[in-house]
Amino acid sequence: MTSRLSKVLCAVLLAASSMAAHAHRFHTSITDISYNARTRSTEIVHTYMAHDIEALLTNLYQRQFDLGDPEDQDVLRKYIEQQFAIKGPDKQPLKLRWVGMTIDAQSVVIYQEAEQTPLSQAAVIRQGVLIDFLPDQVNTVNLNEAGTVRSLTFMRQAIEQPAR
C-alpha cells in the first residue's frame, strides 16, 4: 500500500509540476484607449503580464528589476515609450504623458495620457510592446469612442495599424 501511495503521490506531483511549467502558454496584453471629456484628454491604460515584463527587462539588461523602484520604473517607461505610440494625421507621434503604473504579482498596469487631445486625433496606433521579445505576443488595443469600442490586434506581422 505504501509503495502504491508513493507512486500515486509521485504521479500527482509530476502532473502538477508539468501543469505549472505550461501554465503560461500565451503572451497577451490589453491596452484601453478612451477620451475623457472632463479632462479633454485621451487616456491610455496598458495591462501586461508581470512575468512577461520581468523576463523582458531581465533579458534586455541582464539583471533583476524591482518595479517598485523609481529608477527601474524609468527603464520600463523608456522601453514602453519606444514601443507604443499614437500617431496623429501628420504621422507624427502624439505627446504622451507618463501618469504612472501599478504592479502586483499578476500584472503591470501602465497609465499614460495625451493631454488636451481628443481620440479623434489618433490616425495610427503602434503597439509593439513585448513583440520584439516574445514572438507569439498578441497585443489587443480597445479604442473607446463615445461608447463604441473597436478592437485592434497587434502581432509581429503588424505592429502599426490605422486607428480609423
Side-chain angles (χ1 to χ4, degrees), residues 4-5 24 35 49 58 63 84 96 116 154-155 158 160:
R4 184 171 183 220
L5 183 60
H24 191 71
Y35 179 69
M49 292 184 183
T58 299
R63 70 175 180 88
F84 176 81
L96 300 181
Q116 301 296 303
F154 296 80
M155 296 178 283
E160 275 196 15

Side-chain angles (χ1 to χ4, degrees), residues 31-34 41-46 80-97 112-115 117-127 141-143 154 159-164:
T31 297
D32 293 307
I33 303 174
S34 60
S41 297
T42 294
E43 299 174 343
I44 302 110
V45 179
H46 307 274
I80 297 292
E81 289 172 348
Q82 289 173 348
Q83 298 297 327
F84 176 81
I86 300 174
K87 297 179 180 180
D90 61 357
K91 306 295 185 232
Q92 295 301 309
L94 301 177
K95 182 171 173 31
L96 300 181
R97 184 174 74 85
Q112 296 177 296
E113 72 176 343
E115 295 178 295
T117 305
L119 184 51
S120 61
Q121 289 297 306
V124 174
I125 307 287
R126 179 181 200 284
Q127 176 42 312
V141 173
N142 298 317
L143 297 163
F154 296 80
I159 62 170
E160 275 196 15
Q161 294 184 40
R164 312 249 156 255

Side-chain angles (χ1 to χ4, degrees), residues 24-113:
H24 191 71
R25 288 186 169 181
F26 61 94
H27 303 282
T28 186
S29 77
I30 303 267
T31 297
D32 293 307
I33 303 174
S34 60
Y35 179 69
N36 183 327
R38 185 181 53 76
T39 63
R40 296 188 185 135
S41 297
T42 294
E43 299 174 343
I44 302 110
V45 179
H46 307 274
T47 305
Y48 301 101
M49 292 184 183
H51 174 77
D52 292 341
I53 292 292
E54 291 165 2
L56 166 81
L57 293 173
T58 299
N59 183 62
L60 286 174
Y61 298 98
Q62 303 302 305
R63 70 175 180 88
Q64 290 297 110
F65 277 77
D66 174 6
L67 291 177
D69 179 337
E71 288 181 18
D72 285 353
Q73 285 183 11
D74 283 344
V75 171
L76 178 58
R77 180 183 55 78
K78 288 175 186 165
Y79 171 79
I80 297 292
E81 289 172 348
Q82 289 173 348
Q83 298 297 327
F84 176 81
I86 300 174
K87 297 179 180 180
D90 61 357
K91 306 295 185 232
Q92 295 301 309
L94 301 177
K95 182 171 173 31
L96 300 181
R97 184 174 74 85
W98 184 269
V99 176
M101 62 190 290
T102 58
I103 306 116
D104 64 32
Q106 302 300 316
S107 61
V108 175
V109 181
I110 297 168
Y111 306 92
Q112 296 177 296
E113 72 176 343

